[in-house]
Amino acid sequence: MNTQAWITHFERNTRLNDEMELPTEACTLPESARAPLVASIATFQLGESGTGSRLRRYAREVAPLENFRGYQRAIDLFVAEEQSHSRLLARTVEHLRGTLLTKQWTNSIFRRLRFLVNLEFAIQVLLTAELIAEVFFGTLYLRCEDPVVKKVSHKLLRDEMKHLTFQRDFLSERVATFNPLGRWLWKAQFQAIHAITCTVVAWDHRHTFRALGLKPGDFRQRCLQAWERYQERLDEELVKLDSKLPASHSDEVHGADHRRAG
Ligand SMILES: [Fe+2]
Ligand SMILES: [Fe+2]
């Protein structure tokens, strides 16, 4: 795993979230859209606010491995980026005249689930949340007319897409070390947990989706498709690692860095 490329990426990208200037106009969304939307965004804000202390502790387990040198630093920066998302979403909640949450039931389940087994499982649960977040922020970006929500969701969508690649870089190298049965079991439980979570999230945020003109069932379907695409890419990476061909899975982040450097 090319951890240095990720360290460089996070170091450049995270500060943009705190420096982001948001439109100053007051929210003009109708109350029927504003109220469910701000409740949904407050839930995602809480989800992004974790300190990542146990994730960081788990990351220490892989630190001695040659191919994960620097991973701990990358995870620290990743957690810092999630916290910058939390701050950006807090500003959005304020703009929408909402109240920040300190507790919410789906968020509590996620936090408990994440630390049950090991680092791979912790990353996988995180990944489930990020796959759903990608669809959620993509939906807000395309369907919400509020300029602040649009700007914030566009940035979060881009960041979460990078996070998905970051997690894939890690997981492909870890899952490659599993035997065939272990891989099958890993994939089956990942799919099952993801499908259940999509159903719960689609139901929990149903009023928001309806206000945005999207059926909750369609949101769930999009999340399931996001999983399919993600797993396909992960399988491709595993084939590459199995055949010991030079992996190209980090080309995306390298390419982005080169483009920025240029
Ligand atoms: Fe995030
Ligand atoms: Fe993320």
Side-chain angles (χ1 to χ4, degrees):
M1 181 175 184
N2 190 335
T3 51
Q4 189 50 51
W6 285 111
I7 289 168
T8 306
H9 166 73
F10 288 129
E11 282 175 345
R12 285 175 180 165
N13 186 60
T14 300
R15 62 184 169 79
L16 301 177
N17 295 330
D18 287 321
E19 290 169 2
M20 186 184 286
E21 285 186 23
L22 299 177
T24 52
E25 303 93 64
C27 166
T28 56
L29 291 174
E31 188 58 17
S32 57
R34 187 204 66 84
L37 182 66
V38 74
S40 289
I41 292 178
T43 302
F44 277 81
Q45 189 277 333
L46 183 63
E48 304 264 13
S49 66
T51 59
S53 56
R54 277 192 275 193
L55 187 65
R56 298 223 273 265
R57 209 179 307 147
Y58 275 138
R60 260 183 247 145
E61 289 172 17
V62 298
L65 300 174
E66 183 62 33
N67 53 334
F68 292 110
R69 192 169 293 214
Y71 184 66
Q72 254 192 299
R73 170 81 180 134
I75 279 286
D76 284 349
L77 292 169
F78 162 77
V79 170
E81 182 150 302
E82 294 295 20
Q83 288 170 342
S84 77
H85 288 177
S86 171
R87 291 189 290 275
L88 203 46
L89 288 172
R91 291 165 69 194
T92 311
V93 169
E94 189 185 350
H95 161 74
L96 293 171
R97 306 189 303 278
T99 312
L100 295 179
L101 301 174
T102 52
K103 222 174 170 180
Q104 199 269 347
W105 70 280
T106 51
N107 186 60
S108 302
I109 292 172
F110 258 118
R111 288 195 181 189
R112 271 162 214 259
L113 204 57
R114 207 183 297 169
F115 303 110
L116 280 179
V117 189
N118 55 18
L119 178 61
E120 289 78 15
F121 189 69
I123 295 289
Q124 181 210 304
V125 175
L126 195 61
L127 188 53
T128 296
E130 292 186 317
L131 282 165
I132 293 172
E134 185 197 20
V135 180
F136 178 75
F137 291 120
T139 301
L140 293 195
Y141 172 62
L142 290 174
R143 290 174 178 260
C144 186
E145 293 303 319
D146 184 274
V148 171
V149 174
K150 224 177 222 326
K151 187 167 184 180
V152 169
S153 54
H154 186 235
K155 181 63 168 68
L156 295 191
L157 171 64
R158 293 181 58 180
D159 284 6
E160 294 303 342
M161 287 167 77
K162 279 285 186 194
H163 292 183
L164 292 172
T165 309
F166 174 60
Q167 318 301 8
R168 188 170 54 229
D169 274 3
F170 170 80
L171 279 175
S172 57
E173 293 199 23
R174 294 300 290 166
V175 176
T177 66
F178 297 178
N179 64 30
L181 178 65
R183 285 188 195 191
W184 185 87
L185 285 171
W186 187 83
K187 186 173 172 174
Q189 58 80 32
F190 178 25
Q191 185 168 25
I193 289 176
H194 185 264
I196 293 165
T197 311
C198 292
T199 306
V200 172
V201 172
W203 178 83
D204 196 29
H205 297 274
R206 62 197 180 282
H207 300 303
T208 301
F209 300 133
R210 287 194 187 118
L212 294 171
L214 183 69
K215 289 181 191 153
D218 288 346
F219 176 81
R220 178 181 172 276
Q221 201 53 36
R222 286 176 195 188
C223 291
L224 295 178
Q225 286 163 353
W227 183 90
E228 297 275 350
R229 285 195 301 273
Y230 194 81
Q231 187 60 47
E232 251 168 52
R233 291 286 308 275
L234 189 63
D235 285 340
E236 284 169 17
E237 296 303 328
L238 287 170
V239 170
K240 281 181 200 160
L241 289 168
D242 286 344
S243 60
K244 300 206 182 347
L245 285 173
S248 62
H249 58 276
S250 53
D251 285 353
E252 197 179 330
V253 69
H254 287 174
D257 287 334
H258 288 154
R259 281 195 294 280
R260 257 182 237 117

